[in-house]
Amino acid sequence: GGYLGSVEESFIGKLKKGDAFLFGGRLLELANTRDMTAYVRVSKKRNRIVPRWQGGRIPLSTELAEILRRLLAGHSDLGDSPEMKSLAPLLELQAAWSELPREDALLVEKTRTREGWHLYFFPFAGRSAHEGIGNLIALRLSRLQEATFHVTANDYGFEVFSKQEVFVDEERVRNWFSGDNWQRDLLEGVNEAELSKRQFRDIARIAGLIFPGFPGKGKSTRQLQASSELIFEVLKKYDSENELLAQSQREVMDRQIDQGRIASALESIPRGSILIRETDRLTPLAFPLWAERIRAQTLSSETWETRVRGMAEQLNQAAGRSRVYV
């Protein structure tokens, strides 16, 4: 019955009933969404999602991603810049423990820790595309073996974590990144119906199906959402082939899931080389993804900062240096 605050509509739209997320220092579980209100209850689930704001989801441009890969591969004249010199210890460690990313190859790292098994992929396609590809691969893996998979992404790559071991070879990775029916699989892995409902609001307004109000007396977003949801449900029930419904799904794929980048990655990765490396510990590229994932987990006695600092110290000792991981 209480009001907790506001969160971005695009974030809530991707959640399913029962999903847990962190908000205002509280661990909440989504019970239902209606109009522009998300109804939640306190949760005790271990795994949770950390909300992300749209301003922090701006992906790397294609040009910047290509330049980063050339820099990391050592094929750029900018290799002697102050920035690259400061990164040199990390890059040396990455090359020693695993491999540096290449322009024409996908780097895959498999690591085992006391938590479980980690698969790290580094396509350099941007956070939003990595979230989509990670969910796609997790769904395909779940069809092959009974296990729970958790996906974490940043601008450079993504992690698929499981308590059970996942066997990796070049043929398997190519199949995971197959472009066959990827749109259908990806929509199965996200809350497509809820996302389409919210995207339909703008479509219905532009099509003249809902009245936004007179100048100076416009209707609230909540009122518009209630009207558009009613029309959406009627069309879906009695006219499922309606072009406006198809348009809402297309806009979800383009705006919410970054369809273009995902399609490009799924087209190029299976044709290139696959570099699979089994590592004894977290590499410099994998460490930020690990830290991001444990932020979303409930820890009984250690804070996130304490655990990240402790892991960094262990990796520094393994590297024989005092300040590589920060």
Side-chain angles (χ1 to χ4, degrees), residues 15-20 29-33 41 45 191 194:
L15 301 183
K16 298 179 181 180
K17 292 181 181 179
D19 285 350
E29 180 180 327
L30 181 64
N32 194 16
T33 56
R41 62 173 67 94
K45 293 185 176 180
N191 194 2
E194 186 66 27

Side-chain angles (χ1 to χ4, degrees), residues 89-90 93 309 311-326:
L90 280 173
L93 200 58
R309 190 179 301 112
M311 177 63 79
E313 291 175 357
Q314 292 179 27
L315 294 173
N316 283 330
Q317 292 175 3
R321 302 175 184 179
S322 58
R323 293 183 61 187
V324 177
Y325 289 84
V326 178

Side-chain angles (χ1 to χ4, degrees), residues 265-279:
L266 295 180
E267 180 182 357
S268 61
I269 288 174
R271 296 184 303 182
S273 301
I274 307 293
L275 303 176
I276 300 175
R277 300 291 182 266
E278 295 194 16
T279 63

Side-chain angles (χ1 to χ4, degrees), residues 85 197 263:
K85 288 181 179 178
K197 275 184 186 180

